[in-house]
Amino acid sequence: MAQNMLPTETQILIVGAGPTGLAAAISLICNGVEPYNITIVDCLEKGANTSRAIGIHAATLEALDTYGCASRLVNLGIKGQAWRVASRSSTIFQANFESNSPYTEYPFVLILEQTATEHVLEERLEELGVEVKRPWRVVGMKDSGDCRGMDVTFESGETVRTKYVIGADGARSAVRQLSGINFADPDGKSIDDSIDDRVAQMVLADVSISLSEEQSAVLASGVSITVSDSGMFVLIPLGKPSVSELLYNSSEAVYRVGFSVPRALGEPPSKPSLEYIQSNLDRQAPFALCSDPKLNPDPVRITKVYWSTRFRTHSALADVFFKRVHGGFVFLVGDAAHVHSPAGGQGMNLGLRDAAGLGPILAEHSIRTRERQKLHASDGRDADPEVDTTALEIYAASRRKRGLDTIRLTKNFLSVINFVLKPRLLNWPLWIMTFFSHISMIKSRLVYRLSGLGNR
Ligand SMILES: Cc1cc2nc3c(=O)[nH]c(=O)nc-3n(C[C@H](O)[C@H](O)[C@H](O)COP(=O)(O)OP(=O)(O)OC[C@H]3O[C@@H](n4cnc5c(N)ncnc54)[C@H](O)[C@@H]3O)c2cc1C
């Protein structure tokens, strides 16, 4: 069979080869599932996905370490040391990941673009003997009619019979919809109202900036969030020159910038231009990054935009992460199961940990099912034997709880940002935040939560 052809039958079908789907395949193989029992498909051609997440936290690196991926990622990225909240002129609050040292061998947030992370995971999967099949789009699921699972259908008309489907197909998951699983804000809000108006629309871009070496060195230490009356601005340096080269063929340092656009200002363009980004940067960024000489005596400018996008954030959680569908089983992981604001950089991390932990449990279930199938076949029986699903159900419920906790964490985080953003006489929210910045227990607790160590 040609590498990219679909099989007529596979034991486990993974739909989606984003970070979560790739990690799920790796964790299954590392836990004993034979590569020929796994098929992973994606509707996009290789490399067609764009840069999105940029931070990998300690708990995720620990989970990936089990599967031989963590050191490769660490070699490519930058060890971000700090999480900084600032006004336009000075730092208000800085929490250092170093305070996680007693709990992890990764006391930093690894700054690495999602495309580079996917590249490392796909390379590892290929080493383990599985290639992603592309471009194949799942459009249907129906009962196989022989009590052996379900038939998954593709846009091009092909059908694959399978026992297990892992839905790793992102926020608009076809697998979730075809399984009839509801996806909604857990606090009962409408999807559009699930995030505060002022930070619900965001623009992200990867850019180069005309910074001196000294200025670059100051910015290289982690994630900086600037809050002002105009909104929220985020700046993150994106890795070593090798990563800039790999992604953008650029020898210059690349920065991820992000800023909120209040709904009152209308919708941002779908691919924001250099001018649009520069004018928002001048409106919201630290003065030291502005191009306006009235604001910055030593003006700096964006010199190149490599990638830019706008998006709206919302929170939603699938009602269940595991469901019997027709004669088979569906498991949702990653964005297919939970989405929330990117504040705190949690989305991809949570998905990677869903996938890393699913491996041992699903591998055991699928191997036992296979053994029983063989026994049944030798007895001349047709229908698949039933293998107890309790472990899968418990795992699914535990991951759902993690999803819910993370939605709450990001909502709380945004509430704090919004609180600081609101213009008030004497700016007392800023004072309160400055006061808290002197309490080291609050700062270490924040980085512990962000790093996922308390929510693996
Ligand atoms: C603009 C933006 C910025 C973000 N920033 C951050 C951040 O800073 N930090 C962070 O942690 N997270 C961030 N996220 C979230 C992060 O990107 C996601 O959490 C992460 O990509 C989820 O991975 P996934 O594998 O679950 O889904 P995805 O990455 O969405 O991958 C799903 C895959 O499934 C494929 N697919 C979809 N439908 C089908 C189908 N029917 N058949 C076959 N294949 C299909 C898609 O092509 C895709 O490759 C951001 C997201 C966006 C949109």
Side-chain angles (χ1 to χ4, degrees), residues 123-436:
E123 225 172 50
R124 176 74 180 125
L125 184 60
E126 283 169 12
E127 270 172 28
L128 293 169
V130 173
E131 280 199 21
V132 177
K133 297 188 185 299
R134 308 167 183 271
W136 295 103
R137 180 182 293 278
V138 167
V139 292
M141 276 174 8
K142 59 178 194 252
D143 203 314
S144 65
D146 62 357
C147 308
R148 307 209 80 140
M150 52 194 145
D151 285 345
V152 176
T153 50
F154 289 79
E155 198 171 41
S156 44
E158 280 78 356
T159 298
V160 175
R161 183 155 300 176
T162 188
K163 187 77 184 167
Y164 303 90
V165 172
I166 299 181
D169 50 345
R172 296 199 178 114
S173 171
V175 171
R176 186 186 66 231
Q177 291 171 39
L178 292 165
S179 307
I181 299 173
N182 188 41
F183 195 53
D185 178 80
D187 298 319
K189 295 193 170 175
S190 79
I191 288 253
D192 270 353
D193 292 334
S194 63
I195 302 273
D196 188 285
D197 234 23
R198 304 180 55 165
V199 286
Q201 296 188 128
M202 296 282 299
V203 164
L204 287 183
D206 289 351
V207 301
S208 284
I209 308 175
S210 61
L211 290 167
S212 67
E213 266 182 36
E214 235 170 67
Q215 287 167 310
S216 308
V218 172
L219 295 172
S221 61
V223 179
S224 305
I225 301 172
T226 305
V227 288
S228 68
D229 291 356
S230 310
M232 174 171 77
F233 175 84
V234 183
L235 180 104
I236 307 166
L238 278 194
K240 298 169 182 168
S242 57
V243 178
S244 313
E245 271 165 37
L246 175 80
L247 294 170
Y248 298 123
N249 206 11
S250 163
S251 55
E252 290 177 57
V254 178
Y255 296 86
R256 164 71 52 88
V257 294
F259 49 86
S260 56
V261 181
R263 279 186 196 150
L265 293 186
E267 220 181 344
S270 58
K271 285 198 175 151
S273 63
L274 189 150
E275 292 69 31
Y276 183 89
I277 298 165
Q278 183 71 65
S279 72
N280 277 279
L281 199 138
D282 287 344
R283 198 165 55 83
Q284 299 186 39
F287 294 129
L289 286 178
C290 290
S291 67
D292 182 349
K294 283 188 231 118
L295 300 174
N296 183 8
D298 193 7
V300 292
R301 293 196 65 79
I302 296 173
T303 52
K304 185 154 186 175
V305 177
Y306 300 92
W307 165 83
S308 65
T309 190
R310 58 143 193 239
F311 66 102
R312 292 182 78 162
T313 55
H314 54 251
S315 301
L317 189 68
D319 280 359
V320 288
F321 286 16
F322 171 71
K323 188 173 177 184
R324 285 164 191 263
V325 179
H326 307 302
F329 304 109
V330 164
F331 213 106
L332 300 179
V333 284
D335 278 17
H338 42 68
V339 291
H340 43 76
S341 131
Q346 299 294 310
M348 182 182 74
N349 283 274
L350 192 61
L352 286 170
R353 299 204 294 273
D354 290 345
L358 179 62
I361 292 156
L362 189 58
E364 200 201 329
H365 196 271
S366 70
I367 291 166
R368 280 176 56 206
T369 299
R370 223 172 165 72
E371 286 164 0
R372 296 247 190 117
Q373 277 169 338
K374 280 189 196 148
L375 269 177
H376 264 222
S378 62
D379 291 350
R381 283 179 279 176
D382 282 343
D384 269 356
E386 183 69 19
V387 174
D388 183 26
T389 55
T390 309
L392 280 167
E393 281 157 31
I394 291 173
Y395 183 67
S398 76
R399 291 320 297 175
R400 190 173 183 280
K401 177 161 184 325
R402 300 288 189 288
L404 186 60
D405 288 348
T406 305
I407 288 176
R408 297 268 147 79
L409 174 73
T410 57
K411 283 189 175 188
N412 289 342
F413 190 70
L414 282 182
S415 306
V416 173
I417 297 281
N418 282 325
F419 174 69
V420 179
L421 284 174
K422 288 199 171 95
R424 289 182 175 92
L425 269 182
L426 300 177
N427 230 351
W428 56 270
L430 278 183
W431 293 2
I432 292 177
M433 201 150 179
T434 311
F435 170 74
F436 281 132

Side-chain angles (χ1 to χ4, degrees), residues 42-113:
D42 200 286
C43 60
L44 291 181
E45 288 288 1
K46 194 170 184 164
N49 231 338
T50 53
S51 158
R52 286 168 289 164
I54 28 75
I56 309 183
H57 287 294
T60 316
L61 287 169
E62 286 180 2
L64 294 175
D65 192 22
T66 329
Y67 304 126
C69 303
S71 59
R72 300 177 196 210
L73 295 166
V74 172
N75 285 341
L76 270 182
I78 284 184
K79 293 178 183 172
Q81 306 296 342
W83 195 270
R84 203 174 298 115
V85 179
S87 70
R88 298 192 73 184
S89 53
S90 61
T91 298
I92 306 167
F93 184 101
Q94 173 163 323
N96 293 325
F97 285 94
E98 183 58 30
S99 68
N100 281 337
S101 297
Y103 318 111
T104 178
E105 63 178 288
Y106 303 105
F108 49 84
V109 51
L110 185 73
I111 308 290
L112 186 64
E113 287 212 321

